[in-house]
Amino acid sequence: MDLHCSEVYLISVTAMDNYCQSVNISVFESETAPCPPQNVQADCAAVTAFVTWEPSNLTVWFTATAEGNDGHTATCTTSETSCLIPHLHCSQIYSISVLAFGETCSSLQSSSYEIQTAPCAPDEIIANVDCNSNRVVVYWGRSNGAREFNVIAEGSDGHTHSHNTTETRYEMLDLHCGQSYNITVTTLSYGRHSISSTSIQIQTAPCIPENLTAELICDLNTISFWWDETDGAQLYTVTIRDSQRVTALFNTSDASAQIQNLQCGEYYTISVLATDDICRSPQSAVVNVHAVPCDPQNIKAQLDCDLNTALVLWDESKGAQWYTAIGEGADGNNMLCNTRETSCRTPSLLCGQIYSVYVVASDWTCNHSMSSTIEFPTGLKAKLADVGILDFQGILGI
């Protein structure tokens, strides 16, 4: 009894009677068990413990054991004076002790050292995207031992948003439109490494289409328009409104479109928005386009024999900014007059000529629309019926 640990003892037995003792003494060498390892310490990194201790004499190997308050046990064995215990459970307090093993015996248990593993990662992360503002709200569950949480959003365009919070809800307002973001929530605690959640992916609303440009093709009375391709867009929705606020919508996957068969003289407002499976962007800036003016109607001509001139009259054409009345003489002599009104007087005409007269309605883009065919009251027929031409004879000098 009462031998010292980590010692080599020589044991001998002597036979004795009342007078003598044996001469030849048999000696046996024996080692006691190693002393319990001293100064056991551990450093916790997330769910791994790095354990150290001081060496014991006559030790062949050591076994460090971590026992968690949830009943979980993990060990590491080494001939050195440190080892790593992996795969501990998160959010647990572990008691760590070390045994020293000699050739035949093991030591008593060392004094224990307590560590607390990192808080578990949040589970059940939920993220909601507000399509109108691209505001993203992230929710998650609490984790035992967590001091605060770090929320990171990493966008497909390289943009990163990071913020620490003690709450289990966080609102992000600066995410870029039309991007895919991976969102991760990491638990933070004093002196322990963090554990990150499994990331979830969200898609912010498509960006607003930019640089919408429209052009009227006068000959076809067609509007052609286009815009820059938009991040996150799967389809584009084009909105067309006329002056009566009548609205038409259509979708396209291209960043351009045409509107045909416009109503003459109408004023159109065009805008476009981008959509994906869930969200739609706000409307783009609008562009305004006038269709070609309507053809002048009910053209009439009144010949003034005394002044050798003609007064040409017509009804107002929707969309017209000004009018040009054109008279073409049979001998090649032409006359014209321009006006913003619905009548104009020609300059002096040559006597004895037949003039073909028509009116062109124009705006700042197109001068395409010609008057319809009529007959002059004097009985002179229109020569150019295909463009709505009125013929009359200048009765001059009679």
Side-chain angles (χ1 to χ4, degrees):
M1 303 293 290
D2 301 326
L3 300 183
H4 293 177
C5 59
S6 292
E7 293 288 351
V8 177
Y9 281 88
L10 298 178
I11 301 173
S12 62
V13 178
T14 301
M16 304 178 66
D17 60 14
N18 289 333
Y19 302 101
C20 298
Q21 63 184 26
S22 60
V23 176
N24 294 325
I25 299 174
S26 176
V27 178
F28 179 78
E29 185 177 284
S30 178
E31 295 179 1
T32 55
C35 294
Q38 300 298 306
N39 197 25
V40 175
Q41 296 185 1
D43 183 23
C44 180
V47 289
T48 299
F50 180 68
V51 187
T52 61
W53 57 88
E54 292 179 358
S56 298
N57 290 334
L58 303 179
T59 299
V60 178
W61 73 88
F62 301 91
T63 295
T65 301
E67 295 181 357
N69 55 3
D70 63 350
H72 175 245
T73 299
T75 63
C76 62
T77 298
T78 179
S79 59
E80 307 296 327
T81 56
S82 65
C83 69
L84 203 65
I85 305 177
H87 310 308
L88 302 180
H89 292 177
C90 57
S91 294
Q92 297 296 320
I93 296 175
Y94 278 86
S95 178
I96 297 178
S97 59
V98 181
L99 282 177
F101 289 85
E103 290 290 350
T104 57
C105 297
S106 63
S107 70
L108 299 175
Q109 195 88 347
S110 70
S111 57
S112 61
Y113 187 92
E114 282 194 351
I115 62 166
Q116 184 170 358
T117 55
C120 296
D123 55 4
E124 201 175 2
I125 299 175
I126 300 172
N128 295 327
V129 180
D130 184 334
C131 294
N132 294 323
S133 64
N134 268 331
R135 178 176 66 98
V136 175
V137 181
V138 186
Y139 305 87
W140 60 91
R142 283 216 170 266
S143 177
N144 291 334
R147 174 175 57 90
E148 59 181 347
F149 303 91
N150 175 240
V151 185
I152 298 177
E154 297 177 321
S156 51
D157 63 350
H159 173 242
T160 299
H161 178 102
S162 178
H163 185 80
N164 288 357
T165 178
T166 58
E167 305 298 326
T168 57
R169 174 189 181 277
Y170 180 64
E171 183 177 294
M172 290 177 278
L173 302 175
D174 65 341
L175 300 189
H176 294 177
C177 60
Q179 301 300 316
S180 175
Y181 278 88
N182 287 322
I183 298 178
T184 304
V185 180
T186 302
T187 55
L188 303 175
S189 60
Y190 293 105
R192 298 188 295 280
H193 291 205
S194 58
I195 299 178
S196 298
S197 64
T198 301
S199 62
I200 63 170
Q201 190 173 81
I202 57 103
Q203 180 74 34
T204 53
C207 298
I208 300 173
E210 294 183 344
N211 297 323
L212 176 61
T213 305
E215 180 181 73
L216 178 64
I217 304 173
C218 296
D219 293 341
L220 302 176
N221 198 19
T222 295
I223 299 174
S224 179
F225 52 98
W226 58 93
W227 56 90
D228 294 344
E229 290 190 0
T230 301
D231 285 344
Q234 296 179 3
L235 282 175
Y236 300 97
T237 299
V238 180
T239 303
I240 309 103
R241 291 186 177 90
D242 63 16
S243 58
Q244 305 303 313
R245 306 298 294 172
V246 176
T247 301
L249 302 174
F250 68 89
N251 294 327
T252 176
S253 58
D254 298 324
S256 62
Q258 282 192 343
I259 306 173
Q260 300 175 340
N261 302 320
L262 302 177
Q263 183 178 346
C264 67
E266 187 57 78
Y267 178 86
Y268 291 94
T269 299
I270 301 171
S271 62
V272 63
L273 59 83
T275 65
D276 60 17
D277 289 336
I278 300 173
C279 292
R280 57 173 53 193
S281 73
Q283 292 278 0
S284 69
V286 301
V287 293
N288 301 315
V289 180
H290 282 94
V292 297
C294 294
D295 297 340
Q297 300 293 319
N298 297 326
I299 180 173
K300 299 180 180 65
Q302 298 174 359
L303 184 63
D304 189 328
C305 298
D306 295 333
L307 298 176
N308 298 337
T309 63
L311 178 64
V312 184
L313 306 97
W314 58 90
D315 292 343
E316 182 178 1
S317 296
K318 185 178 180 180
Q321 301 290 328
W322 70 89
Y323 304 92
T324 302
I326 301 172
E328 297 178 349
D331 64 350
N333 176 261
N334 295 334
M335 65 80 187
L336 60 85
C337 59
N338 293 315
T339 181
R340 291 183 179 272
E341 308 300 328
T342 57
S343 66
C344 69
R345 185 171 294 278
T346 67
S348 296
L349 304 174
L350 297 180
C351 61
Q353 294 291 316
I354 295 176
Y355 283 90
S356 301
V357 177
Y358 57 92
V359 179
V360 176
S362 303
D363 62 12
W364 298 110
T365 305
C366 299
N367 58 359
H368 169 75
S369 301
M370 294 183 182
S371 61
S372 58
T373 302
I374 66 167
E375 290 186 355
F376 185 62
T378 60
L380 298 176
K381 293 192 295 183
K383 284 182 64 180
L384 300 180
D386 57 335
V387 292
I389 293 176
L390 170 67
D391 295 345
F392 66 92
Q393 183 176 8
I395 308 175
L396 306 175
I398 300 177

